Amino acid sequence: MIAAQRREEIIMGTWGIGPFENDMAADFADALDEAAEDEREGLVRTTLTRTIQTQDLESPEGAEAVAAAALIAAQCPGGEPISTSYGPDQALPIFAIDLRSLAVEALDRVVAENSELADLWYEAADGPKWRQTVSRIRAVLAPEPEPQEDPLFDL
């Protein structure tokens, strides 16, 4: 009964599959807006680090990590800009390059075992679409190297 009630609470706070289409991510965006400009990158870094280090990841932390990763991916080649009104309104710094790998680790943690968010989306009708959204963000953060057309050495 408690698990069903928790699932209901989280589903009610989510209105779409996008990284900012839930209450937790919208609250994270508000926290970024309220933070001093020079503290915003630190808030993103802390969010991602906490996600990676947590054994049993709760849904709110997972949602915040997806939002943080989306903000970093938006600054990468091929990244989609954050165009929702639920994202941050204040300017964000150009994020340090090392946050990309941290964001990849956090996303991997969000979709792994012991992630409440992944479990909830697994049970939802839009679960496959949500996983595709997370995969697209991850692909921007860690693109696969393109195969070389010219061999370095002809044998």
Side-chain angles (χ1 to χ4, degrees), residues 94-117:
I94 301 299
F95 294 117
I97 297 293
D98 73 305
L99 282 179
R100 293 179 187 183
S101 60
L102 200 62
V104 168
E105 284 186 67
L107 290 178
D108 289 347
R109 178 67 190 90
V110 167
V111 298
E113 289 185 32
N114 297 326
S115 168
E116 182 183 37
L117 189 60

